[in-house]
Amino acid sequence: MEELFLPVLSHFQNGNFWTASGGRMQCRVDPGEEALTAQVWEGPWNQGDSIMEETRDFPLTDGGLEELRAWLLAWTAEMNARPPRTLAENLQRRDAVRAQRAEAAPAE
């Protein structure tokens, strides 16, 4: 099985989030009381400028960390197998996300 670094369970039990990437796969993991909430998106942009591919919860346990690892490895393989996008395509996707966010923002 491919390697993927994940912090130890106590990292999350102490309230710390974690971000990582694997090629084009980007992720963020946030701890809750009993679960880890993970989000994945395709790079190259940051979370705020990207389309979330999936958000999923995992138990805040050693077993949950292993489920998270397998899920992230599957997403890494899927995203990195996709045909590469041009810079123009990436900019267009980012700008569309920004426009959607601006439309959803309350008027000041």
Side-chain angles (χ1 to χ4, degrees), residues 28-44:
R28 179 179 171 123
V29 181
D30 290 289
E33 294 266 333
E34 297 179 12
L36 298 168
T37 300
Q39 295 179 300
V40 292
W41 64 94
E42 184 177 347

Side-chain angles (χ1 to χ4, degrees), residues 6-88:
L6 282 174
V8 295
L9 185 60
S10 63
H11 172 89
F12 296 110
Q13 289 171 326
N14 287 312
N16 298 301
F17 71 91
W18 177 72
T19 60
S21 63
R24 291 163 52 192
M25 187 280 300
Q26 312 289 314
C27 70
R28 179 179 171 123
V29 181
D30 290 289
E33 294 266 333
E34 297 179 12
L36 298 168
T37 300
Q39 295 179 300
V40 292
W41 64 94
E42 184 177 347
W45 310 117
N46 64 33
Q47 187 177 16
D49 287 334
S50 301
I51 299 166
M52 290 303 108
E53 300 262 351
E54 186 177 1
T55 300
R56 186 167 166 194
D57 289 336
F58 298 88
L60 187 56
T61 63
D62 286 323
L65 277 181
E66 289 312 308
E67 289 178 43
L68 172 62
R69 179 187 316 280
W71 182 75
L72 289 173
L73 285 171
W75 270 110
T76 299
E78 179 181 325
M79 287 186 196
N80 289 325
R82 295 174 182 169
R85 289 192 177 93
T86 65
L87 176 59

